[in-house]
Amino acid sequence: MIVKEVTSNNTINENDIVLTGDRPTGCLHLGHYIGSLQNRVILQNTINNKKRCFVFIADVQGLSDNFATPEKVKKNVVEVCKDYLSVGLDPAKSTIFIQSLIPELFELTVYYMNLITVARLERCPTVKAELQTKSFATSVPSGFLNYPVSQAADITAFKSTAIPVGEDQKPVLEISNEIVNRFNNTYNTNVLKECKPILSDVPRLVGIDGLAKASKSLGNAIMLCDDSATLKQKIFSMYTDPNHINISDPGKVEGNVVFTYLDAFYENKEEIADLKEQYRKGGLGDVYLKNLLYKILDEKLTPIREKRLLLKEDYIYSVLIEGSKEAREVAKQTLNEVREAIGIVYN
Ligand code: TRP
């Protein structure tokens, strides 16, 4: 039975187990919000059962490309959890936990490493693209190359089947499913379950510069915790149409970041269509559009910002530690089944 159509192309059913996570390398931004967070809240409220809904902070994966700055990773565990709670994730409905508090995940990772080749990991487009933005040159740490395997452990430990992620994570989920099949075939079992991505209608949000995906490290993202003034300043620096100099000039809508964001965040589709028509003809200024976008985004972000300010670090840790205890019980059970399937149980 289909429980809910989450986005236009994704449905979940009553047997689905939802899991997703983020690397704590910075606060979350509008790309995360539209690409995944919003879906998670819908899923959480639809499923309404914390045993079927897991959200976690992937601090160990975060270390794979930030191993020399662990204090940054640790600090951002708290920030990311604040973002989660302020957008509406609720510890009464989702199990929210920290990856490193579940050591079973790392034992699973070791077993899975045997089931995938180094060449396959090197071919993964997500890993390839990430490597290009890092300064590893030819000396790629094996921990980084291996992160899709560790991610397969995260997914399978909770028998999760529905993974709300941005589009860039699709190839990583394919690797996870390959490991699942290889495991089940090799050990003649069906302990592990395949998963499917739950993609948002806007799986990839462009940055305010129009050049690349919104990303904190590129400095081209609107953060969920940006104050009103920063939000306004970022919107007013958005890339539009460089040839649209006078208000009366015809303007280009394609590639114009203000329109991309209006498409993503403004519910009034009719008004957007009218504005686009007017902009193309000429007679509509960027300042008008940027003020409109500011009003829409400020309205969305104000309650999130206000909620965030009320969250204290002690409370955040209590949520994460409680969630991690509950999550660990589930992962322990799966690890037992995995060891049994492999045949390495000694007693
Ligand atoms: N790779 C994800 C990111 O970069 C984080 C992540 C780790 C994840 N394990 C996961 C996402 C399991 C979904 C499922 O944000």
Side-chain angles (χ1 to χ4, degrees):
M1 186 191 87
I2 287 171
V3 172
K4 166 113 187 155
E5 189 169 349
V6 191
T7 56
S8 352
N9 301 314
N10 300 283
T11 50
I12 54 157
N13 63 52
E14 58 194 347
N15 299 321
D16 272 325
I17 296 181
V18 173
L19 169 133
T20 190
D22 299 277
R23 291 182 202 171
T25 51
C27 293
L28 303 180
H29 53 66
L30 279 182
H32 295 112
Y33 182 75
I34 199 85
S36 172
L37 292 172
Q38 226 181 9
N39 275 346
R40 294 183 204 176
V41 176
I42 297 175
L43 287 165
Q44 162 200 271
N45 294 339
T46 308
I47 293 176
N48 201 10
N49 175 354
K50 67 188 296 196
K51 296 200 155 121
R52 312 193 78 86
C53 210
F54 298 90
V55 182
F56 74 102
I57 304 180
D59 58 342
V60 175
Q61 190 178 114
L63 281 172
S64 72
D65 55 341
N66 294 274
F67 55 85
T69 48
E71 58 298 333
K72 170 180 147 193
V73 173
K74 182 167 183 226
K75 174 182 156 283
N76 282 310
V77 167
V78 177
E79 298 303 323
V80 169
C81 189
K82 282 188 180 175
D83 285 332
Y84 285 172
L85 302 191
S86 50
V87 299
L89 286 173
D90 175 354
K93 295 183 188 163
S94 291
T95 304
I96 307 176
F97 65 95
I98 301 179
Q99 188 184 28
S100 65
L101 292 181
I102 322 291
E104 288 71 17
L105 297 177
F106 312 110
E107 185 172 336
L108 287 175
T109 303
V110 173
Y111 301 140
Y112 296 169
M113 283 168 75
N114 298 328
L115 305 175
I116 191 115
T117 65
V118 173
R120 176 69 181 91
L121 294 170
E122 282 171 343
R123 273 201 311 272
C124 173
T126 316
V127 173
K128 265 190 177 166
E130 283 168 310
L131 284 177
Q132 270 172 6
T133 68
K134 320 235 175 266
S135 49
F136 295 144
T138 50
S139 43
V140 180
S142 68
F144 186 78
L145 188 64
N146 200 52
Y147 95 73
V149 184
S150 146
Q151 191 152 326
D154 303 334
I155 292 169
T156 55
F158 302 93
K159 310 231 161 118
S160 30
T161 51
I163 318 289
V165 281
E167 198 172 48
D168 60 317
Q169 291 289 306
K170 258 172 96 175
V172 180
L173 300 193
E174 279 163 23
I175 291 185
S176 178
N177 285 342
E178 281 172 35
I179 292 174
V180 164
N181 288 319
R182 193 84 200 275
F183 184 93
N184 287 345
N185 288 334
T186 305
Y187 301 114
N188 195 18
T189 175
N190 58 6
V191 167
L192 302 185
K193 304 281 174 261
E194 279 195 51
C195 70
K196 63 185 175 209
I198 303 282
L199 295 178
S200 130
D201 289 331
V202 187
R204 192 182 184 91
L205 186 69
V206 71
I208 57 174
D209 55 6
L211 292 176
K213 191 178 90 158
S215 131
K216 172 158 174 144
S217 53
L218 296 174
N220 66 354
I222 294 175
M223 310 307 293
L224 294 177
C225 59
D226 279 345
D227 59 28
S228 251
T230 310
L231 174 67
K232 190 162 198 172
Q233 179 262 318
K234 286 185 178 173
I235 290 174
F236 275 77
S237 72
M238 272 182 173
Y239 179 85
T240 56
D241 171 3
N243 297 319
H244 183 244
I245 296 163
N246 301 307
I247 295 184
S248 55
D249 293 339
K252 235 178 116 181
V253 165
E254 291 70 30
N256 184 320
V257 179
V258 179
F259 277 111
T260 311
Y261 276 58
L262 283 173
D263 279 332
F265 295 98
Y266 192 27
E267 282 86 19
N268 191 338
K269 302 299 170 206
E270 256 174 56
E271 189 181 339
I272 299 180
D274 287 348
L275 291 170
K276 284 182 177 170
E277 199 186 312
Q278 230 183 315
Y279 194 81
R280 285 196 177 101
K281 267 199 240 146
L284 182 59
D286 283 357
V287 171
Y288 176 85
L289 289 171
K290 287 180 169 175
N291 271 320
L292 174 66
L293 180 62
Y294 168 66
K295 184 174 149 276
I296 291 157
L297 287 181
D298 199 46
E299 243 166 52
K300 260 198 204 327
L301 293 178
T302 298
I304 296 176
R305 222 182 270 137
E306 284 173 357
K307 192 152 178 208
R308 200 176 202 285
L309 287 174
L310 299 175
L311 297 165
K312 301 275 172 284
E313 189 164 310
D314 281 357
Y315 172 68
I316 295 293
Y317 274 125
S318 70
V319 165
L320 288 169
I321 287 169
E322 190 47 43
S324 300
K325 272 190 204 145
E326 291 167 13
R328 191 165 181 199
E329 289 312 308
V330 181
K332 268 187 189 161
Q333 172 65 31
T334 306
L335 179 61
N336 284 340
E337 293 170 24
V338 160
R339 284 167 147 257
E340 230 164 82
I342 301 176
I344 46 166
V345 178
Y346 306 99
N347 46 31

